[in-house]
Structure formats: structure tokens, C-alpha cells
């Protein structure tokens, strides 16, 4: 895992967006995996800027969201398919129908999860997957205690995640759905490249486990230690519980040189 501690959310967004843009320039029909939530917003802002500047185009690309709530009205503004459209995909040139999300409102969510996994495979798999991390260590909505090799499935949100996400639901945890469909850890790990963005002290424990803890289903993101092309971008607060900071910095600088940045 390549880990960087950067100076601001904007810098994290820029470095992450450049990684997505690089994939897109090399492969215009790339399949991009999208996380929702707050962390990737500066990344999406920078991709919108690059699109508006004529530097990149999504005209041949496809996208797959990581997850979706189960039990929300499909028109609810916080349904992830609506959220991602609002903050990112409607502001660039994805073709009609190219942005996918699990069908959280399907009558049979278990079927919908299997179907979504098959759709990702049929698209040739994800070229670059954007990730955030939950304060309890989830990626996608793979909550602690699940299978480290899971496929897209129905999962159940922890109270911690529902508390964290209440800010999107008028601060009312009771409005936060209890279930979701999420790409599984096995599905996420098949992406050819992972780019994670993390900010804030609330994520410091999860980041310590992710970067320096043992791989464990109790901290699902730790599965990323098995990925050979995973980049994790942190701000100072999110990195505050890491040790060996000097080595982390040296290794990042070395990786940057190798990549020609
Ligand atoms: C959302 C997702 C989640 C979030 C995580 C962090 O699609 O997959 O894993 O990335 O809950 O959310 P924020 O960025 O809002 O702190």
C-alpha cells in the first residue's frame, strides 16, 4: 500500500483526481468505481474542473457506485444513485445509462446484489476504484465481522455508521436506513487500482488499523493490504495515530519518483 500524508483536502482531491484522470487518458473506456459520502467530494470537484478544462472526457467511460441504501425511496436525495449524480456524474459527460448503482429499492435485494456483481464482471471489472473509509473501518458498506472475500451482498449498517451518516438525514439516526447493498470486499479487491481518500481525526483509529494493523474482518479495510496497487491519501488528522511517519514519507516520495511525478 502506498500511503501519503498531504497538506489539505484540496491537495488530496487533486492527487486522487490525477490518478483517476491518468487511467482515463490511457483507457478512455475505463470502468471507474465511485464512492459516495463526503471524503471524495474534492476529488470529484477536481475531475469536474479537468473535464471543463477539456483535459479529460468520460464519454466512453462507465461507472459503478460502491453501494446503495436498501429501503430508501429511489427518489430520496440521499439515495447514492441520486447523490453521485448531483455531486459528480451529471456535471461531466458520461453517456446516458453509463453510471450504475445497486438497485436498493428492488423487491429482492439479494437478487439485485448478485445482478450488480455480474454487471461489474460483464463490464470487464473496475479499472480504478475510489474509496473512503468508515470510522469503524468499513469500505463500501462492508461492516466489521463480514467475509474478507465477499461478493456484492446485502449488509447491515452498524450503529456507528448510522450515527456518522445521520448528518445526511437531518441529523436524525432514525432516518438512516439499516440495510444496504454493497460491493463485497472480494469484488472491491478485483479492481485493478484502489485510490482511497481519508480526512479528519474521526478516521484516525481506522487508518492506524488499515496501514499498520493486522488484516482482520473486524477492520474490513485492512484487506487492502493484499492489493498490489492501492494508494491511500490522508490528511494530518487522519494520519495522527500512525507511527514510522518518516518512512511513510520517504516511501511515498520514492513511489512518486517511480511513477514519474
Ligand atoms: C460510500 C462508502 C463508504 C464511505 C465511508 C466514509 O459509498 O462506500 O465506505 O466512503 O462511509 O464516508 P465519508 O466520506 O462520508 O466519511
Amino acid at each position: 500500500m502506498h500511503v501519503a500524508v498531504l497538506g489539505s483536502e484540496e491537495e488530496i482531491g487533486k492527487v486522487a483526481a490525477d490518478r483517476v484522470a491518468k487511467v482515463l487518458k490511457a483507457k478512455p473506456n475505463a470502468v471507474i468505481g465511485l464512492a459516495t459520502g463526503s471524503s471524495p467530494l474534492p476529488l470529484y470537484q477536481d475531475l469536474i474542473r479537468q473535464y471543463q478544462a477539456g483535459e479529460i472526457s468520460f464519454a466512453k467511460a462507465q461507472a459503478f457506485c460502491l453501494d446503495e441504501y436498501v429501503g430508501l425511496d429511489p427518489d430520496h436525495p440521499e439515495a447514492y444513485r441520486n447523490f453521485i449524480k448531483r455531486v459528480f456524474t451529471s456535471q461531466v459527460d458520461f453517456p446516458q445509462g453509463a453510471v450504475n448503482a445497486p438497485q436498493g429499492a428492488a423487491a429482492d435485494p439479494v437478487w439485485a446484489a448478485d445482478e450488480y456483481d455480474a454487471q461489474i464482471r460483464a463490464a470487464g471489472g473496475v479499472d480504478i476504484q475510489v474509496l473512503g473509509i468508515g470510522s469503524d473501518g468499513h469500505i463500501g458498506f462492508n461492516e466489521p465481522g463480514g467475509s474478507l472475500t465477499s461478493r456484492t451482498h446485502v449488509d447491515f449498517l452498524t450503529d456507528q455508521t448510522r450515527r456518522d451518516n445521520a448528518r445526511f438525514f437531518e441529523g436524525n439516526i432514525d432516518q438512516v436506513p439499516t440495510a444496504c447493498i454493497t460491493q463485497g470486499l472480494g469484488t472491491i479487491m478485483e479492481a485493478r487500482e484502489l485510490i482511497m481518500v481519508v480526512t479528519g481525526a474521526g478516521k484516525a483509529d481506522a487508518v492506524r488499523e488499515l496501514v499498520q494493523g493486522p488484516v482482520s474482518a473486524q477492520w474490513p479495510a485492512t484487506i487492502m493490504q493484499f492489493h498490489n496497487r492501492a494508494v491511500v491519501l490522508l490528511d494530518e488528522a487522519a494520519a495522527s495515530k500512525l507511527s514510522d511517519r518518516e518512512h511513510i514519507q520517504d516511501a511515498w516520495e520514492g513511489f512518486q519518483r517511480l511513477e514519474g511525478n
Side-chain angles (χ1 to χ4, degrees):
M1 218 155 37
H2 304 286
V3 180
V5 185
L6 302 175
S8 67
E9 270 187 27
E10 289 67 33
E11 190 183 357
I12 291 172
K14 171 94 185 79
V15 172
D18 284 349
R19 296 198 74 80
V20 176
K22 193 171 175 182
V23 170
L24 199 55
K25 285 175 187 165
K27 185 179 176 188
N29 63 345
V31 178
I32 303 170
L34 301 176
T36 45
S38 324
S39 311
L41 293 178
L43 185 177
Y44 296 144
Q45 278 301 318
D46 199 77
L47 286 176
I48 293 166
R49 182 193 62 73
Q50 294 192 38
Y51 162 70
Q52 287 172 345
E55 295 166 12
I56 53 172
S57 166
F58 298 85
K60 295 184 177 153
Q62 287 185 74
F64 284 88
C65 291
L66 270 175
D67 41 19
E68 181 58 281
Y69 292 113
V70 166
L72 264 196
D73 185 308
D75 293 330
H76 194 290
E78 296 307 327
Y80 280 163
R81 67 170 58 236
N82 301 326
F83 180 95
I84 201 70
K85 197 169 169 185
R86 187 169 67 244
V87 303
F88 176 43
T89 58
S90 67
Q91 300 186 56
V92 295
D93 61 343
F94 279 106
Q96 189 78 19
V99 180
N100 304 279
Q103 296 180 50
D108 182 350
V110 173
W111 169 86
D114 289 347
E115 183 68 15
Y116 195 65
D117 212 80
Q119 253 184 290
I120 295 170
R121 280 198 162 135
V126 171
D127 291 297
I128 184 161
Q129 175 65 58
V130 174
L131 294 169
I133 189 170
S135 58
D136 65 359
H138 69 229
I139 52 174
F141 270 147
N142 291 277
E143 294 288 31
S147 159
L148 289 171
T149 59
S150 59
R151 307 302 309 178
T152 302
H153 62 283
V154 175
D155 211 323
F156 300 93
L157 303 182
T158 60
D159 286 348
Q160 178 66 55
T161 297
R162 294 180 69 228
R163 269 196 302 278
D164 289 347
N165 285 11
R167 70 192 192 282
F168 296 114
F169 294 85
E170 299 166 340
N172 182 356
I173 187 174
D174 295 331
Q175 288 184 30
V176 184
T178 53
C180 61
I181 295 175
T182 180
Q183 286 189 34
L185 293 174
T187 316
I188 293 169
M189 286 291 287
E190 281 174 4
R192 292 172 193 101
E193 181 171 348
L194 305 178
I195 174 73
M196 175 180 268
V197 287
V198 194
T199 53
K203 306 287 177 70
D205 287 326
V207 165
R208 185 196 55 227
E209 297 299 323
L210 166 66
V211 179
Q212 293 172 335
V215 173
S216 160
Q218 291 308 313
W219 292 95
T222 56
I223 192 67
M224 289 172 63
Q225 293 177 24
F226 285 122
H227 201 289
N228 74 350
R229 199 158 176 80
V231 170
V232 177
L233 305 178
L234 308 169
D235 70 358
E236 196 53 56
S240 58
K241 295 194 176 170
L242 291 178
S243 56
D244 298 330
R245 287 285 300 276
E246 205 172 314
H247 175 68
I248 289 173
Q249 177 67 19
D250 289 347
W252 176 251
E253 285 170 11
F255 177 61
Q256 291 295 96
R257 282 194 298 277
L258 278 182
E259 295 251 303
N261 296 329

